Amino acid sequence: TAAALCLGETMVMLGADEGSLSESAVARLYVAGAESNVATGIAHLGHHVEWFSRLGDDPFGERIRSSLGNRGVDTRRVIVDPDHGTGIYFKDWSSGESSVYYYRSDSAAAQLSLADFAGLELSTRRLCHLSGITPALSPSCDAAMGELLLTRERGDTVISFDVNHRAQLWSAEVAAPRMLELARGADIVIVGRDEAETLWGTATAEAIRELFADAPLLVVKDSDIGATSFIGSESYFVPALRVEVVEPIGAGDAFAAGFLSAWLDDEDPVSCLRLGHVMAAHVLRSLGDTPQLPPRAELLALARLDERSWR
Ligand code: KDG
């Protein structure tokens, strides 16, 4: 079994090559889902990683499986649901700012429940990666996340949780207390400073640390400024790379992939943040959520460069 397991919904995404969705005659199909985006990044960086979810018994599900498989992600345990379709979303990037339109309610992934996780051999994994999108998908998904994060004994399997607040799926009022509760059950918490402010009114990384005082490892990302990790009483800050942003969606997942991959390699805290930024920079520069990346060795070399040459 793979050392790392990423769990959550993946969809087919449609984006117009040029112009708006209301006018464009041509749209391209992509595969995107926060946790599988992380899985493709971790696989690219050389780790055996599995992605688990439910997919519809349709061409989209097939496409997701083969696309993730081609990128080195193990999808062998994915459940094909005969009664529910694969989720779809559209991304419109014509106005300079991306808008997303979800068609995912009652999707196959929204049917995920705790019983589905029985065969996953969770306790044999080094890392299990979850996100705050899953509890927003359905009551059964929310209950399963609660079981995974809140009823376990902390042990060998490290659970990482990327808050990933999606305002279109649930309101901040509903999400705030649940996200806090779930994230507090994780060993590695990854959160954007801005989303934390939306959810919990915390303005600074230090204020977020106070909310997650017991988290063994907390990472606060502050958009193009940089990211801070908190471990015990120590904190580490690494500035983000300066890049021309083409389209930002997916960059947070790439950051998580770089960070977690370096963590799996037992790298030091600063190296983890650096690889996170290097991975994010590549996604910021392209339209898809998981673009093709330069070879692993090149990414690792970039992460080792002097920070002054990043900016
Ligand atoms: O983080 C990027 C994801 O938001 C995107 O790939 C789609 O999983 C997705 C979602 O739920 O928005």
Side-chain angles (χ1 to χ4, degrees):
T1 47
L5 172 71
C6 300
L7 207 153
E9 177 162 32
T10 296
M11 296 170 285
V12 158
M13 186 263 278
L14 277 135
D17 279 1
E18 257 174 77
S20 69
L21 284 172
S22 59
E23 284 164 1
S24 175
V26 184
R28 198 180 291 268
L29 276 176
Y30 300 81
V31 164
E35 302 83 0
S36 68
N37 295 346
V38 173
T40 56
I42 291 179
H44 185 77
L45 290 168
H47 296 277
H48 183 190
V49 56
E50 179 172 348
W51 168 75
F52 177 76
S53 189
R54 279 179 174 260
L55 290 170
D57 187 8
D58 49 32
F60 305 124
E62 236 177 88
R63 188 184 183 102
I64 290 170
R65 268 190 100 144
S66 63
S67 153
L68 294 177
N70 289 339
R71 301 194 62 175
V73 176
D74 183 342
T75 62
R76 78 181 83 169
R77 271 176 260 234
V78 166
I79 298 173
V80 177
D81 184 330
D83 303 318
H84 297 86
T86 302
I88 298 175
Y89 88 103
F90 292 78
K91 185 149 85 173
D92 196 325
W93 40 57
S94 57
S95 68
E97 200 159 299
S98 293
S99 307
V100 301
Y101 303 90
Y102 290 137
Y103 294 83
R104 67 194 304 187
S105 59
D106 209 32
S107 67
Q111 316 306 315
L112 279 168
S113 70
L114 192 65
D116 294 335
F117 304 153
L120 289 180
E121 299 173 84
L122 271 178
S123 61
T124 66
R125 316 281 183 160
R126 268 187 78 198
L127 180 73
C128 173
H129 180 70
L130 308 171
S131 99
I133 295 172
T134 310
L137 298 180
S138 67
S140 73
C141 284
D142 179 61
M145 291 292 279
E147 287 288 331
L148 282 183
L149 283 155
L150 305 176
T151 66
R152 70 199 177 105
E153 287 196 18
R154 294 205 188 216
D156 295 337
T157 305
V158 165
I159 298 193
S160 58
F161 182 88
D162 188 334
V163 170
N164 266 345
H165 175 52
R166 296 287 177 270
Q168 288 185 49
L169 298 178
W170 51 350
S171 69
E173 292 71 42
V174 177
R178 185 59 171 163
M179 288 281 218
L180 188 59
E181 184 184 26
L182 292 173
R184 280 178 172 160
D187 305 292
I188 302 178
V189 180
I190 303 173
V191 64
R193 196 202 57 76
D194 49 351
E195 66 184 343
E197 190 162 18
T198 305
L199 288 170
W200 307 305
T202 43
T204 62
E206 289 68 29
I208 300 168
R209 178 54 166 167
E210 279 176 35
L211 268 188
F212 293 102
D214 295 329
L217 175 46
L218 167 70
V219 183
V220 179
K221 303 172 290 176
D222 194 0
S223 55
D224 59 351
I225 297 173
T228 310
S229 70
F230 295 88
I231 304 171
S233 58
E234 303 294 324
S235 68
Y236 308 85
F237 173 79
V238 175
L241 277 80
R242 187 171 294 162
V243 288
E244 287 289 325
V245 178
V246 173
E247 204 283 321
I249 296 181
D253 305 325
F255 179 91
F259 184 90
L260 293 171
S261 171
W263 178 88
L264 284 164
D265 284 328
D266 299 315
E267 294 283 352
D268 61 82
V270 166
S271 302
C272 293
L273 292 170
R274 282 167 155 255
L275 193 53
H277 284 316
V278 165
M279 292 286 284
H282 284 283
V283 174
L284 289 168
R285 279 196 287 249
S286 66
L287 281 180
D289 294 6
T290 52
Q292 293 296 334
L293 294 163
R296 171 175 182 266
E298 207 174 293
L299 292 162
L300 295 181
L302 250 174
R304 272 187 230 108
L305 281 182
D306 188 316
E307 265 161 40
R308 273 165 300 184
S309 55
W310 285 11
R311 313 263 324 156

